[in-house]
Amino acid sequence: MTSFTRRGALRALAAGTAGAAVVAAPGASAAAGSARQRAFADAAAEFGVPESVLLGVSYLKSRWDSHGGAPSTSAGFGPMHLTDLRAVAAGGSHHDKGAEDPRGDLARGVLAPRRSAALQTVDLAASLTGVDAATLRTDPVQNIRGGAAVLAQYQRELGVRADGPAGWYGAVARYSGASDTGAATFFADEVFATIAAGAHRTTDDGQAVTLPAIPVSPQREQVRALGLAAVAEGAAEAPPGLAVEWIPAPYQDLGDGNYGNYDKAERPHSQKITHIVIHDTECTYDAAIGLVQDPTYLAWHYTLRSTDGHVAQHVLTKDVGWHAGNWYVNAKSIGVEHEGFAAQGSWYTEAMYRASAQLVRFLAAKYRIPLDREHIIGHDNVPGTTPETVAGMHWDPAPYWDWAHYFDLLGAPLNARPVRQPTGLVMIKPDFASNPAGYTGCDASAPGAACPARGSSAVFLRTEPRDDAPLLADAGLHPDGGPSTAAISDVGSRASTGQRYAVAETRGEWTAVWFLGQKGWLRSSGVVPVLGQVVTPRPGLSSIPVYGRAYPEAAAYPEGITPQEIVPLPYTLAAGQKYAAGPTLESEYFWATTFDPASHVVVRGATKYVQIQFGHRVAFVQLDDVVVARTSP
């Protein structure tokens, strides 16, 4: 485990993750008239909590948003993230849903995942305020009062009398909900870093809120009085200042040629790590931890807890986790799971976003992975391996993951260097807060019902430049030839923030991009011009195949290892079409079918591939089939 040091964030956020998210505030006057600002001031005065502390805690939980009363991924509600597990259904894992084999390699056989079977601060808030739980969940003003009451109670129980924010460190750490000192300290440090730097933003319901910058030296020793557990020692890989618990996944020989739940490797010496895959768990943190410790299940590298940003590592990054549903991607990536329920339309806490960004930025630097959407991808961007597997691929972390905010926290803002003129290449970049999109199917009991109207990082693509035009077809997801749908699980006609596409046509306020072999129309307000590379079929080729993995040619396989068939996906890239080019990749196949890692072999071929943004998911084309050209204004 890495040592937990005093955070640089307390040096007024000189650099790093938090500095990208928090903007120094000029003063409270700009937001003095907003109802949300007054609610914080009134609750702070009523319960004797420093207003800066109340604002800082709320920022780390929700960024002051109300989310329309919808729960977070850890069953938290409202600006103060009061938790109510009774109100949120939970169970299973996203690896249990659909037909995807998480390992994504038939040479090993298909995995058969098993199913698995807190905090309740809303009850404490109800007892302290006399307000019922339903109101505390849905009324932002009462939610803020409830959070202030809970913070004040925690301060009383610590027996600390303090006039200023510095003496509230222990209560803030406890409010994190963490069960260990590492996560509690991380949360409290981020809160006080926010207080030191100040912040200002407009919430999801249009409320301007300001936290003026206040120099503060918090009494960090107070965390010892909470009696929390120490973070487990072990081999965890993490940046300084982020405590990561080592909860290893078992690597066991189960007999009869079966073993689990990941593969030993020697990356990056055996293979370069080129991607980081962002997942959500579709189960609680505790359930995910139980699953990853099951030797008959499957394993990923890291899990993050929503309420406080706590991080656990299960597989060393040199080893190959079974998480992405595509063996080529598994062998080249690190899998990071975030506690979440995408299908419920729930939201991710700021604490988890920040912890994840610190972790991913560290991993990207360690393995020289570019911080862009070609290399930092969602599970929903991973392609199927063959035509038969496309429909079973997963779609997390879904459109409610705020990619623009996440890249701000990574210190790599999307479109950091704006291009003012058309280039023939655009980046998807809608305004998250004002982009409800209109999904259906968040409630499993009512598949056609509308999802909660809240911000989204994705946009729909249509067959014509009008809002009521049908969505595009996806031959892999909808082999009957019908159009894609607005279902939250249907990515067949959806583009996500940060993804880049080649422009096919423009008409007035509409832009068409090449998408799965079709022109997909979206409003031009949702895109920005960018520079980059595009691919198109070589002259003389009417169309070229598109692949879900970059495997070597048959001649590259040594004796005793069965060549993996290079199977095209059910799409083609026709002459005249262009697609945004990502990295050029060597062809590789990681042969790992036995428990003994000494028998594992990396097969490398002469064939090279280019990763492209072909639809919502990435895909691969052979370099010899395409011309790669750089765009210009």
Side-chain angles (χ1 to χ4, degrees):
M1 185 196 77
T2 57
S3 61
F4 193 81
T5 59
R6 184 176 180 84
R7 290 187 51 77
L10 294 179
R11 298 189 296 271
L13 298 180
T17 299
V22 181
V23 179
S29 59
S34 83
R36 186 68 41 81
Q37 188 89 45
R38 291 194 300 273
F40 281 112
D42 292 346
E46 180 182 0
F47 294 99
V49 180
E51 186 176 352
S52 61
V53 169
L54 191 61
L55 284 163
V57 168
S58 178
Y59 193 94
L60 253 293
K61 288 294 189 180
S62 69
R63 292 208 296 161
W64 306 321
D65 289 337
S66 67
H67 293 282
S72 77
T73 60
S74 49
F77 292 82
M80 294 303 298
H81 197 259
L82 294 175
T83 49
D84 190 354
L85 291 174
R86 291 188 306 264
V88 178
S93 157
H94 78 286
H95 295 296
D96 298 327
K97 299 172 175 65
E100 179 200 79
D101 165 27
R103 193 177 194 271
D105 177 29
L106 295 180
R108 169 67 168 74
V110 176
L111 295 172
R114 73 169 180 83
R115 296 182 184 269
S116 173
L119 299 173
Q120 197 68 24
T121 57
V122 73
D123 292 344
L124 176 58
S127 68
L128 293 170
T129 63
V131 178
D132 64 90
T135 302
L136 287 166
R137 290 195 303 265
T138 57
D139 184 326
V141 173
Q142 295 303 323
N143 183 275
I144 292 169
R145 288 187 67 242
V150 170
L151 269 169
Q153 178 65 20
Y154 289 167
Q155 186 77 347
R156 285 192 294 272
E157 291 177 3
L158 282 171
V160 176
R161 295 179 62 86
D163 296 328
W168 284 74
Y169 189 92
V172 170
R174 184 175 176 187
Y175 199 96
S176 70
S179 58
D180 64 273
T181 56
T185 303
F186 167 80
F187 179 86
D189 280 350
E190 290 288 342
V191 167
F192 281 93
T194 304
I195 294 171
H200 176 79
R201 71 182 296 267
T202 300
T203 67
D204 59 354
D205 53 354
Q207 301 285 315
V209 182
T210 294
L211 168 59
I214 301 174
V216 61
S217 297
Q219 298 173 15
R220 300 177 81 251
E221 69 279 0
Q222 289 182 0
V223 76
R224 293 196 294 267
L226 300 180
L228 301 176
V231 177
E233 297 288 340
E237 302 159 281
L242 182 66
V244 176
E245 184 177 9
W246 176 243
I247 304 177
Y251 185 71
Q252 295 181 11
D253 188 346
L254 304 174
D256 297 324
N258 191 19
Y259 68 95
N261 48 12
Y262 63 94
D263 277 291
K264 297 284 189 180
E266 291 297 333
R267 305 184 306 175
H269 305 296
S270 56
Q271 290 183 277
K272 286 182 64 177
I273 299 174
T274 56
H275 293 74
I276 296 174
V277 182
I278 304 298
H279 301 256
D280 77 46
T281 60
E282 290 301 320
C283 65
T284 66
Y285 173 85
D286 290 341
I289 296 303
L291 291 170
V292 82
Q293 293 180 92
D294 178 358
T296 69
Y297 195 62
L298 55 102
W300 48 92
H301 294 89
Y302 295 89
T303 305
L304 281 85
R305 190 164 58 205
S306 177
T307 187
D308 55 6
H310 175 75
V311 184
Q313 184 175 3
H314 318 296
V315 177
L316 295 176
T317 56
K318 72 180 185 66
D319 296 326
V320 175
W322 302 350
H323 59 91
N326 181 314
W327 186 239
Y328 176 80
V329 175
N330 277 340
K332 306 286 287 181
S333 70
I334 296 169
V336 183
E337 294 273 2
H338 299 78
E339 183 181 19
F341 300 91
Q344 295 179 5
S346 51
W347 47 279
Y348 302 93
T349 66
E350 180 69 3
M352 185 165 68
Y353 274 128
R354 290 192 178 201
S356 177
Q358 286 195 30
L359 174 66
V360 167
R361 188 173 58 191
F362 163 79
L363 295 171
K366 180 177 181 178
Y367 293 111
R368 298 182 180 180
I369 301 171
L371 290 172
D372 57 40
R373 289 288 275 117
E374 287 77 45
H375 297 84
I376 312 299
I377 62 175
H379 194 180
D380 55 343
N381 306 135
V382 175
T385 54
T386 64
E388 294 75 24
T389 66
V390 171
M393 298 300 290
H394 285 275
W395 48 275
D396 60 294
Y400 297 135
W401 180 267
D402 190 343
W403 284 107
H405 179 54
Y406 190 59
F407 271 82
D408 285 345
L409 293 172
L410 285 170
L414 298 173
N415 199 37
R417 297 179 179 178
V419 178
R420 304 301 180 188
Q421 299 170 329
T423 65
L425 189 67
V426 293
M427 176 187 290
I428 305 298
K429 203 170 184 297
D431 177 67
F432 184 90
S434 60
N435 182 44
Y439 305 108
T440 63
C442 290
D443 184 349
S445 64
C451 292
R454 54 179 307 270
S456 164
S457 62
V459 295
F460 288 122
L461 301 176
R462 301 188 179 275
T463 55
E464 295 289 340
R466 63 178 198 274
D467 291 321
D468 61 349
L471 300 179
L472 302 181
D474 184 327
L477 290 179
H478 305 284
D480 60 357
S484 299
T485 70
I488 193 169
S489 59
D490 189 343
V491 301
S493 188
R494 186 185 302 167
S496 183
T497 294
Q499 293 178 328
R500 299 181 305 154
Y501 295 89
V503 175
E505 187 180 348
T506 58
R507 291 187 206 170
E509 297 179 351
W510 291 81
T511 297
V513 298
W514 289 114
F515 190 97
L516 297 178
Q518 306 156 83
K519 288 184 180 180
W521 291 91
L522 73 160
R523 288 194 172 274
S524 301
S525 58
V527 300
V528 293
V530 292
L531 297 172
Q533 292 184 316
V534 295
V535 301
T536 193
R538 284 194 179 278
L541 298 177
S542 59
S543 67
I544 61 171
V546 177
Y547 304 96
R549 49 197 178 182
Y551 277 174
E553 66 280 4
Y557 289 79
E559 185 177 355
I561 296 180
T562 303
Q564 298 296 299
E565 188 177 359
I566 302 176
V567 183
L569 295 175
Y571 317 101
T572 56
L573 197 167
Q577 296 181 9
K578 296 180 180 181
Y579 291 86
T584 298
L585 303 164
E586 304 291 335
S587 56
E588 291 180 342
Y589 174 62
F590 182 39
W591 175 259
T593 63
T594 65
F595 181 71
D596 182 8
S599 68
H600 297 172
V601 175
V602 177
V603 180
R604 293 183 174 86
T607 305
K608 292 186 177 182
Y609 291 81
V610 180
Q611 178 182 308
I612 62 172
Q613 190 65 60
F614 189 60
H616 184 81
R617 304 183 191 275
V618 301
F620 307 100
V621 291
Q622 293 187 358
L623 181 59
D624 287 345
D625 287 342
V626 297
V627 173
V628 182
R630 187 155 191 86
T631 63
S632 61

